[in-house]
């Protein structure tokens, strides 16, 4: 597992706060300037590929849930 980019970290913070959600919910929960929907969706797909989140299918939509806890991530990467 590698360290997240700033954009990925912001998305993960939102996912951790919500304890998972759809892209629209995650976008609405982001603080400050919000990226375009498609940019956030791509970032979340990258997080899924890197195994930070898992997608749970609901009809034709995907809900993204964290695989790694915020504390576990901070424990691994905040010491460096």
């Amino acid at each position: 597992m590698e360290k997240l980019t700033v954009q990925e970290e912001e998305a993960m913070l939102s996912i951790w706060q919500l304890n998972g959600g759809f892209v629209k919910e995650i976008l609405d929960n982001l603080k400050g300037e919000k990226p375009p929907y498609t940019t956030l969706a791509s970032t979340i797909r990258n997080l899924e590929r890197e195994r930070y989140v898992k997608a749970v299918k609901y009809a034709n939509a995907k809900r993204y849930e964290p695989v790694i806890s915020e504390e576990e991530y901070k424990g691994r990467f905040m010491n460096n």
Side-chain angles (χ1 to χ4, degrees), residues 44-76:
I44 293 172
R45 277 194 307 276
N46 289 342
L47 289 169
E48 182 183 13
R49 191 180 67 245
E50 294 170 9
R51 295 193 175 106
Y52 280 96
V53 298
K54 65 178 177 179
V56 179
K57 194 128 166 107
Y58 286 88
N60 63 345
K62 291 182 180 177
R63 184 175 191 279
Y64 295 94
E65 298 176 356
V67 172
I68 183 173
S69 71
E70 186 174 5
E71 293 75 26
E72 188 179 345
Y73 177 77
K74 286 180 179 177
R76 273 190 201 177

Side-chain angles (χ1 to χ4, degrees), residues 20-32:
F22 297 97
V23 176
K24 177 78 170 103
E25 294 172 330
I26 297 165
L27 181 63
D28 290 342
N29 191 53
L30 287 175
K31 308 290 185 246

